[in-house]
Each structure stands twice: as C-alpha cells, then as structure tokens.
C-alpha cells in the first residue's frame, strides 16, 4: 500500500518553474496557413469533420459559424448555456448554441480538453480568398500551447507550454520581446491546471502597447482582424473628436457579430510599433468593447513571425519580413 501511494505521489509530481525540464522546447505539430495575407486560415477537425477556420488570436473562444454547424451536422451540447461577445461592444453580445465535441485535432495534435465546447456564431464572415470560412479558431484552444505563427511564410506550429520565464522563441534569428502591458487583463491561474480548464477567460489573450498620435494605447494582438481598429473613446483620448469623425468615410466592418458594426476610416497623425513609426496611417474607428483600446490586426502583423507563450504572458516578434505570396 505504501509503495502504491508513493508511486501515485510520484506521478503527480510537478516540474519546478524555470528548471531545465520546464524550459525544454517540445514541438507538437505544425500546420500551413492559407487564405490571404490579411486573413490567415487554418484547418481544424471536429469529430473527424474538416473545417477551415480563421486563425484568431483575438477571439477568447473558438466559434463555428451557424451555416457550417448545420452543414456538417454537428451536435449541440445541451448542458451548456451562457453569453458570448462578438465585435462591436455591447451590440456584439449574443446567447450561443454550444457544440458537443468528441474530438478536436489541430496540426495533427489532439487538441481536445475537458469541457471544451466551441460556440455557434449566428453571423457570417466574408472570406478575402476563394476559400469559405467555417469559423474562428480562438484562445480556448490556442491559449493552451506555446504557439509560433510564422505569418510571412504561412505556417503555424504548436509547442508544449513551458513554465519558463526566460523561454524565448525557438528560431535562431533575432527577436524582439514585448512584455505584457501592466494594464492588460491577466489570468493568474496555475499552469498545472491547464488541462482541466473548460472555459478560459479572455484574460489570456496576447496584448501589447502601441502608440497612436504619440500616446500609448493598450492593443490586442489579433490575427483575425483584417484592419487596425481603434475604439472611439481611445480615438478621443488621442485628440480625434466626434466632429472630426463625422467628416470621415463610413461603412460596416466584416466582423464576428450578430448585428452590423458601423465604423469610419480616419487618418491619424502617427502609429508607433516595435520602434517604427508609420506616418498618417488610415485606421478604422469603431466600438471595440472590453479592455483593448486598439485591435492590432494583420496590416502590420503580416510582416512578422510571432511567438506567443501560453496565455500571452509576453510576445516575441521576429524581424520585419516581406510575406511570401499565397
């Protein structure tokens, strides 16, 4: 009995943070990215059924679009109910159907976790390529790994998450570390509990600081955004008045929301990112909602390889690279 108890305890032993074992790099699998330069798409399987998903580091949860849910004959998880938030702030709130999951595979990896249940989105997403979009791959799955998103070369790799404060990216070339801003939401739950988490909050999404008109703003790193979007309140904070926005061109966002999300395109004075300054950038102004003041999307991200440790505790950017054609 004593021997059995000791064996059980040994099986439950945890690896010390920042130890050589905790900092060991272990690649689990990789998958090509398709779509367009502004809209990276990735293959996912739910119960053996293939879906083409928008790679969306800005989404807290994985979402299957209503039309794809019905076409594939996926099953509803009737044990769950709640609210989900799409784009557009309060206008983006909806009560979703949850998907019952037997298996999920991503990059050849078993990506299913206890109580993982994607939602069904009552909206459509316009594809910028010839490939229809079935949904969005969010951080309830992505946030459980260290991920290497090589946007210029159109490939994503999953790595075993490391409990390693000094653990940088696995590539050999230079990288720039961007620490998580102090004002960003944080997920403080122990790393050891990751396999037992069903609903991960949006607090583990990757954040960074960008400068707009010379002022620092909290930005969400969002590979699912085809534009760089600044919240109306943040725009006012950097000197853009409502009267100025009334003179700008208006339209609708191609956004994950049940209702239309209005927006305008405004020319700001400057945008600062990774020590570089873009003069007179044309940014989208809309209702963002939640903590982010800026949704930092693909117009600039497409030129970088990005390493996001689990829960976005920090972000590493590779050198500026011209994207390969798709």
């Amino acid at each position: 009995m004593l021997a059995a108890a000791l064996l059980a305890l040994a099986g439950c032993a945890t690896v010390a943070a920042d130890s050589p074992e905790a900092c060991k790099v272990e690649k689990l699998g990789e998958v090509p990215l398709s779509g367009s330069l502004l809209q990276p798409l990735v293959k996912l399987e739910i119960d053996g059924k293939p879906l083409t998903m928008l790679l969306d580091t800005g989404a807290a949860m994985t979402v299957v679009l209503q039309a794809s849910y019905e076409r594939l004959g996926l099953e509803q998880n009737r044990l769950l109910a709640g609210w989900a938030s799409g784009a557009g702030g309060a206008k983006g709130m909806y009560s979703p159907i949850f998907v019952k999951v037997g298996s999920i595979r991503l990059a050849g990896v078993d990506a299913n976790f206890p109580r993982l249940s994607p939602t069904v989105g009552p909206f459509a997403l316009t594809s910028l390529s010839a490939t229809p979009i079935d949904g969005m791959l969010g951080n309830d799955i992505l946030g459980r790994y260290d991920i290497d998103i090589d946007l210029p070369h159109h490939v994503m790799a999953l790595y075993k998450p490391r409990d390693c404060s000094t653990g940088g990216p696995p590539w050999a070339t230079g990288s720039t570390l961007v620490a998580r801003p102090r004002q960003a939401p944080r997920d403080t739950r122990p790393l050891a509990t990751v396999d037992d988490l069903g609903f991960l909050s949006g607090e583990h999404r990757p954040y960074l600081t960008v400068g707009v008109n010379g002022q620092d703003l909290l930005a969400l790193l969002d590979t699912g955004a085809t534009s760089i979007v600044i919240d109306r309140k943040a725009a006012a904070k950097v000197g853009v008045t409502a009267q100025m926005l009334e003179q700008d061109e208006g339209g609708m966002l191609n956004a994950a929301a049940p209702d239309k999300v209005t927006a305008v395109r405004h020319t700001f004075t400057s945008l600062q990112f990774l020590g570089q300054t873009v003069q007179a950038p044309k940014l989208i102004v809309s209702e963002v909602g939640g903590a982010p003041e800026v949704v930092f999307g693909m117009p600039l991200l497409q030129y970088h390889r990005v390493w996001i440790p689990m829960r976005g505790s920090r972000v590493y950017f590779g050198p500026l690279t011209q994207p390969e054609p798709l």
Side-chain angles (χ1 to χ4, degrees), residues 79-80 109 121 150 252 318:
L79 299 178
L80 296 178
V109 176
D150 190 347
M252 300 292 175

Side-chain angles (χ1 to χ4, degrees), residues 131-317:
T131 305
I133 298 174
D134 293 314
M136 304 178 298
L137 177 62
N139 279 281
D140 53 348
I141 294 177
L142 294 175
R144 301 168 190 271
Y145 302 97
D146 290 353
I147 55 174
D148 175 9
I149 308 176
D150 190 347
L151 293 166
H153 299 103
H154 317 301
V155 64
M156 179 181 72
L158 303 182
Y159 287 77
K160 183 178 179 179
R162 294 181 290 170
D163 196 1
C164 184
S165 60
T166 59
W171 63 74
T173 56
S175 61
T176 301
L177 166 63
V178 177
R180 190 178 183 89
R182 290 184 178 181
Q183 67 271 36
R186 294 182 181 271
D187 191 337
T188 58
R189 288 170 289 188
L191 177 66
T193 66
V194 64
D195 286 340
D196 195 39
L197 297 178
F199 295 103
L200 290 174
S201 71
E203 295 173 355
H204 62 288
R205 296 181 297 172
Y207 284 86
L208 63 153
T209 300
V210 299
V212 179
N213 289 2
Q215 294 195 44
D216 287 346
L217 297 178
L218 179 63
L220 176 65
L221 192 160
D222 191 350
T223 57
T226 57
S227 306
I228 298 175
V229 183
I230 180 169
D231 186 74
R232 290 182 181 273
K233 291 181 180 178
K237 181 178 174 180
V238 301
V240 177
T241 65
Q243 291 75 19
M244 295 167 66
L245 294 177
E246 289 175 357
Q247 307 303 314
D248 292 322
E249 174 188 0
M252 300 292 175
L253 285 180
N254 178 24
D259 296 319
K260 293 181 179 179
V261 180
T262 60
V264 298
R265 187 185 303 273
H266 182 80
T267 302
F268 288 77
T269 303
S270 62
L271 173 66
Q272 294 82 36
F273 168 62
L274 293 183
Q276 301 179 11
T277 299
V278 179
Q279 300 292 343
K282 294 184 182 295
L283 308 180
I284 302 298
V285 181
S286 186
E287 304 293 338
V288 172
E293 296 176 296
V294 176
V295 174
F296 197 76
M298 289 298 294
L300 290 180
L301 290 178
Q302 64 176 304
Y303 298 101
H304 291 276
R305 188 174 183 178
V306 186
W307 172 258
I308 306 176
M310 193 186 102
R311 297 184 180 172
S313 55
R314 56 199 180 278
V315 180
Y316 293 84
F317 289 90

